[in-house]
Amino acid sequence: MSENWIWLIPNDPHYVPPADTHDRAKALMEEFAPESEEINLEVYEKPGYFGPGENGEGVYCPLCGEDLEEWLDEWLEREKESYWLNPETKMPCCQETISVYNLDFSRKAGFTRFLLDAMSPNVLPSEQLAELEALLGCELNQILIRI
Ligand SMILES: [Zn+2]
């Protein structure tokens, strides 16, 4: 049995919404995804990479479209002590220097310090997403994961 999750992460990988919004955000998520068996809100020290692992992150170069999933795994392993300090790097495909935060994750992965998730197969409609964005003070990426 696979599990479906929706993950909400801020567009800015460094952004953490004010602590006094967290309880309300979880309550809204419970309201929006009432069938969800589990809802989590996590805050991390530094932007971590979140993807569904071997189910395929779908990581592409935003400049030339090259599949960079394997390259990113290796790069993160090599740079794990410092990647959040220096996320700019040369793309292996087109040799342009960009931030790994700006790779194209095709809504299957991302970097973040803040994660709000629900075990739910149902995508939040845009008006619910907008309500959470207003509460948390940021634009959110909605990521769909099947684990
Ligand atoms: Zn490229």
Side-chain angles (χ1 to χ4, degrees), residues 61-66 68 91-95:
C61 176
L63 303 170
C64 73
E66 182 77 10
L68 295 180
M91 294 294 103
C93 36
C94 50
Q95 310 299 313

Side-chain angles (χ1 to χ4, degrees), residues 1 13 28 63 87 89 106 122 127 135 139:
M1 260 295 270
L28 273 180
L63 303 170
T89 191
S106 39
N122 301 315
E127 60 273 20
L135 172 70
E139 283 182 33

Side-chain angles (χ1 to χ4, degrees), residues 64-115:
C64 73
E66 182 77 10
D67 182 340
L68 295 180
E69 190 172 322
E70 264 181 51
W71 172 84
L72 181 63
D73 283 348
E74 285 165 19
W75 187 85
L76 284 172
E77 181 61 30
R78 201 165 64 233
E79 304 289 329
K80 64 186 167 203
E81 303 301 331
S82 62
Y83 71 82
W84 59 92
L85 298 172
N86 190 15
E88 305 264 325
T89 191
K90 196 187 266 193
M91 294 294 103
C93 36
C94 50
Q95 310 299 313
E96 298 288 337
T97 296
I98 64 167
S99 166
V100 292
Y101 297 153
N102 295 328
L103 291 171
D104 173 5
F105 298 110
S106 39
R107 294 183 126 203
K108 291 181 180 168
F111 286 90
T112 191
R113 287 192 54 200
F114 176 86
L115 175 68

Side-chain angles (χ1 to χ4, degrees), residues 1-6 37 52 55 118-121 144-147:
M1 260 295 270
S2 63
E3 292 172 358
N4 292 290
W5 289 80
I6 47 180
E37 286 174 38
N55 289 312
M119 193 197 289
S120 169
L144 312 175
I145 301 291
R146 175 177 284 221
I147 298 175

